[in-house]
Amino acid sequence: MAPYIPQNYLPNLKKYKYQAIDKSLISKYMLASYWNHLVQIFPLWMAANMVTLLGSLHIIVAMVLNQVYAANLYDECPRWVYFAYAACVWIYGSFDAVDGKQARRTGTASPLGELFDHGCDSLVVSLIMLLYATVCQLGETWWTVALVFFALTNFYMSTMEEYHTHILFLGYFSGPVEGILCFTLAALASGVWGPGFWATDLVQLLPLPASVLVQLPVLTMAQSVVVGMGVALVPTVYTSFSNIARARREQQLNVASAFADSVPFAASIGSVIVWLWESPEVLSNHLVLFLSFVGFAFSYIVGRVIVAHVTGAPFPKLNRMHIPVFLGTFNALAPRLGLTKIFAGSNEVVLIWMCLVYTGAQYAHFALEVIDTICSYLDINCLTIKHKKTN
């Protein structure tokens, strides 16, 4: 039996009921009809998880293009590449929106579906932000780091909120809907006008007196996207904590202990920031590689929370994916502690590759073991339909 789901929690899989609230006006008034028509193109013999996987593979295709044409997240790509980015991310978002509908059409909805869906989402969220950086020519800079970390924070808080409230809450502006739409429009803009469009000074476009404009900081269109995400994150995080507090009080459980579940994630993000701060060469030359390893670690951490959610297990705290993050940070801080930096200078990329291999292998082991455990217990397949729907 897999170590990730203790046997005494397996019966909770059959009791689990997925619940979600979507406040998005765009979902309700613009995209609902599109999604209802789109799901009809998938045959009834196709498993919902296959729809999820096919959508996620489009992000991999986009990242391959990105590594070919703009590995530094800054170089200008041929215009068709930006249109390809827009198409890939839109298809991913569309498939992600209808995989649940496909599960209900085929009578195969299960806790594995939520785990598989969120697992794929957690893997691609950082990749989409890297594509966003290329579209806006942010390059390997702190602006890109902020873009990725804002997205990861939003995803983690949503997952933590769902664990404690038992409801997936999507607000009036959410990544799966408005975020996908914004990226698609941004990529189309770069395809039409070129990525140089994003270097426009936003401040100078404001209808304000010149005496006021000179007092404002220079902020490009690209940087305004990052600032906007950071500003929007504040009420999002506040709402998540508020919903968690309300749910815990209703359950007559301690609120502070639930809030403390955010500490390991915050410690991880803080450690990664310190690592990059102490290793500017990593930031400027190996950021994509570095954030790829961070992405695997994040997906594992989130995956453990989702598994705990669908099985009714205790909230997972520190785990083995924190090891490479903390060790890498310690290595970066070694000179400040009067110690010798083991992986110094250009050799630090070797450490990052080691972290990437470790986190990638660990995540693969986790995903395969959990899928095998749930499939065996519920007598289902992951990517095919084992038991046909009966009328």
Side-chain angles (χ1 to χ4, degrees), residues 7 42 52 55 70 80 97 168 172 217 230-231 233 252 257 259 273 301:
Q7 192 164 4
F42 299 107
T52 305
W80 69 266
L168 175 62
Y172 293 102
V231 171
L233 185 63
Q252 297 184 334
S257 62
F259 283 7
I273 291 174
I301 293 169

Side-chain angles (χ1 to χ4, degrees), residues 85-344:
Y85 290 162
C88 285
V89 173
W90 181 258
I91 291 172
Y92 155 75
S94 297
F95 282 26
D96 184 50
V98 304
D99 52 10
K101 296 179 183 293
Q102 178 70 358
R104 291 186 287 276
R105 286 179 73 218
T106 56
T108 56
S110 72
L112 178 62
E114 179 176 356
L115 181 62
F116 194 87
D117 180 279
H118 287 6
C120 288
D121 290 344
S122 65
L123 277 173
V124 305
V125 63
S126 58
L127 301 182
I128 293 176
M129 292 300 101
L130 291 177
L131 293 172
Y132 220 140
T134 296
V135 165
C136 299
Q137 288 191 316
L138 287 172
E140 296 178 289
T141 65
W142 282 108
W143 289 104
T144 297
V145 174
L147 192 69
V148 172
F149 286 0
F150 288 159
L152 295 185
T153 300
N154 181 63
F155 197 106
Y156 183 85
M157 289 304 303
S158 176
T159 306
M160 190 177 95
E161 179 184 356
E162 183 181 11
Y163 175 88
H164 289 291
T165 65
H166 311 299
I167 299 173
L168 175 62
F169 181 83
L170 298 176
Y172 293 102
F173 189 100
S174 67
V177 181
E178 288 76 13
I180 294 295
L181 181 60
C182 287
F183 176 92
T184 303
L185 293 175
L188 290 176
S190 289
V192 174
W193 295 296
F197 161 80
W198 296 99
T200 304
D201 186 355
L202 178 66
V203 173
Q204 297 304 316
L205 299 179
L206 299 177
L208 297 172
S211 58
V212 175
L213 292 176
V214 296
Q215 303 298 323
L216 299 176
V218 176
L219 194 68
T220 66
M221 294 282 287
Q223 293 165 353
S224 69
V225 170
V226 183
V227 173
M229 280 190 65
V231 171
L233 185 63
V234 175
T236 299
V237 171
Y238 175 80
T239 300
S240 292
F241 277 123
S242 296
N243 290 339
I244 291 171
R246 182 171 59 254
R248 296 286 286 188
R249 292 190 188 101
E250 291 174 353
Q251 300 164 24
Q252 297 184 334
L253 297 173
N254 184 268
V255 174
S257 62
F259 283 7
D261 291 335
S262 63
V263 173
F265 173 75
S268 298
I269 292 295
S271 295
V272 169
I273 291 174
V274 170
W275 184 345
L276 287 174
W277 182 267
E278 295 295 328
S279 303
E281 185 177 333
V282 173
L283 174 67
S284 59
N285 295 312
H286 307 292
L287 187 59
V288 174
L289 179 66
F290 183 85
L291 291 177
S292 297
F293 126 65
V294 171
F296 273 125
F298 172 78
S299 296
Y300 178 88
I301 293 169
V302 167
R304 294 299 299 266
V305 176
I306 300 170
V307 168
H309 169 56
V310 300
T311 60
F315 194 95
K317 306 296 184 181
L318 292 172
N319 57 61
R320 64 195 72 179
M321 278 301 200
H322 291 93
I323 296 174
V325 173
F326 294 152
L327 286 181
T329 303
F330 178 79
N331 176 75
L333 284 172
R336 291 187 179 274
L337 301 175
L339 303 173
T340 301
K341 193 174 183 180
I342 300 176
F343 295 91

Side-chain angles (χ1 to χ4, degrees), residues 351-364:
L351 174 61
I352 300 173
W353 272 110
M354 291 169 60
C355 291
L356 178 62
V357 171
Y358 172 84
T359 53
Q362 181 59 52
Y363 183 82

Side-chain angles (χ1 to χ4, degrees), residues 55 57-66 69 77-92 131 135 183-184 186-192:
L57 288 176
H58 283 79
I59 304 302
I60 304 302
V61 171
M63 276 304 298
V64 171
L65 286 175
N66 194 75
Y69 291 104
C77 306
R79 296 295 177 88
W80 69 266
V81 174
Y82 299 112
F83 292 120
Y85 290 162
C88 285
V89 173
W90 181 258
I91 291 172
Y92 155 75
L131 293 172
V135 165
F183 176 92
T184 303
L188 290 176
S190 289
V192 174

